[in-house]
Amino acid sequence: MPSRILVIDDDSKITAFLRRSLMYEGYHVLEASDGYRGLQLARENPPDLVILDVMMPGMDGWEVCRRLREVSNVPILMLTARDEIADRVRGLDVGADDYLVKPFALEELLARVRALLRRYQPASSTVMQYSDLTLDTATREARRGDRIIILTNKEYELLALFLRHPRQVLTREAIMDEIWGFDYSGESNVLEVYIGYLRQKLEAGGEPRLIHTVRGAGYALRE
């Protein structure tokens, strides 16, 4: 079955361009001209990927992304005419997986779509474990003992990286390259923010800390 891509953008020219281009590549395309309709379509016919414009009337893309993240781990590629680092950080903070500035090259957009679909395609189940923490790579479900932990896409990627390298010190640069990509621009505290998110979720039941800061070096998953 072709992957379903939901395009949410109030610019009819952009939407038509994306529809033709994505259909030519073999994708099934759904369209919404505003955030409310986009959320409705996402509920009625869950897509495999969402291409989401930021600047829309009524409900902007950041709010749409935030609401999608409350109920779904679908990969989200945000489009915007604003090239401010603060906007990119905000998009990632509310749960976007990638960020592309208008005007963009079609080849780059298609490459990012393919990369996101590959990254989040269903996989055979592998359960990674460290101490009382487990992570199922098929369902993306984490557990601390019997307590289920709901993760966003970036939180999942980050936790999976730590579980692949237990007890090892991972530098900030290595984590950023692996999770956000080597071309992530701008200095920000996005990694520190997500480490904080993970710690809150992993320790919400009063469990001991597993993700530790190694001062001057990076972070490590250890007891």
Side-chain angles (χ1 to χ4, degrees), residues 168-188:
Q168 297 181 29
V169 177
L170 302 179
T171 66
R172 186 182 192 281
E173 292 73 20
I175 298 172
M176 289 295 295
D177 285 351
E178 178 71 21
I179 305 300
W180 280 274
F182 69 91
D183 60 345
Y184 179 77
S185 60
E187 296 182 2
S188 75

Side-chain angles (χ1 to χ4, degrees), residues 53-223:
D53 184 40
V54 169
M55 304 306 294
M56 293 186 295
M59 183 189 299
D60 62 30
W62 287 309
E63 179 63 16
V64 175
C65 184
R66 187 189 66 78
R67 295 193 185 191
L68 279 173
R69 273 294 161 264
E70 291 177 347
V71 297
S72 172
N73 283 327
V74 62
I76 299 173
L77 171 60
M78 296 195 81
L79 303 178
T80 180
R82 302 172 64 171
D83 193 18
E84 297 294 331
I85 292 175
D87 290 333
R88 298 188 186 197
V89 172
R90 182 177 179 184
L92 294 171
D93 281 347
V94 296
D97 298 282
D98 205 350
Y99 202 102
L100 195 56
V101 176
K102 298 178 183 178
F104 52 83
L106 175 61
E107 292 80 7
E108 182 179 6
L109 179 135
L110 293 175
R112 293 185 184 225
V113 165
R114 290 191 296 268
L116 286 171
L117 288 173
R118 282 196 304 270
R119 188 183 302 172
Y120 297 112
Q121 66 185 355
S124 57
S125 179
T126 298
V127 177
M128 295 186 286
Q129 182 171 3
Y130 182 77
S131 185
D132 64 342
L133 171 65
T134 60
L135 181 67
D136 189 316
T137 60
T139 63
R140 294 176 170 251
E141 182 180 271
R143 288 177 178 266
R144 198 78 197 266
D146 294 327
R147 183 171 64 85
I148 296 176
I149 303 168
I150 305 301
L151 302 172
T152 67
N153 282 332
K154 277 291 182 285
E155 290 166 355
Y156 166 81
E157 289 182 48
L158 191 56
L159 184 57
L161 177 62
F162 281 117
L163 283 166
R164 289 196 298 270
H165 304 278
R167 295 180 294 278
Q168 297 181 29
V169 177
L170 302 179
T171 66
R172 186 182 192 281
E173 292 73 20
I175 298 172
M176 289 295 295
D177 285 351
E178 178 71 21
I179 305 300
W180 280 274
F182 69 91
D183 60 345
Y184 179 77
S185 60
E187 296 182 2
S188 75
N189 65 339
V190 65
L191 175 57
E192 288 72 21
V193 168
Y194 273 87
I195 291 291
Y197 291 160
L198 264 182
R199 283 172 171 166
Q200 288 176 12
K201 292 185 176 183
L202 295 180
E203 302 165 19
E207 300 91 343
R209 175 156 296 180
L210 287 180
I211 298 178
H212 296 270
T213 301
V214 182
R215 191 171 298 279
Y219 297 94
L221 177 72
R222 62 192 186 192
E223 294 179 280

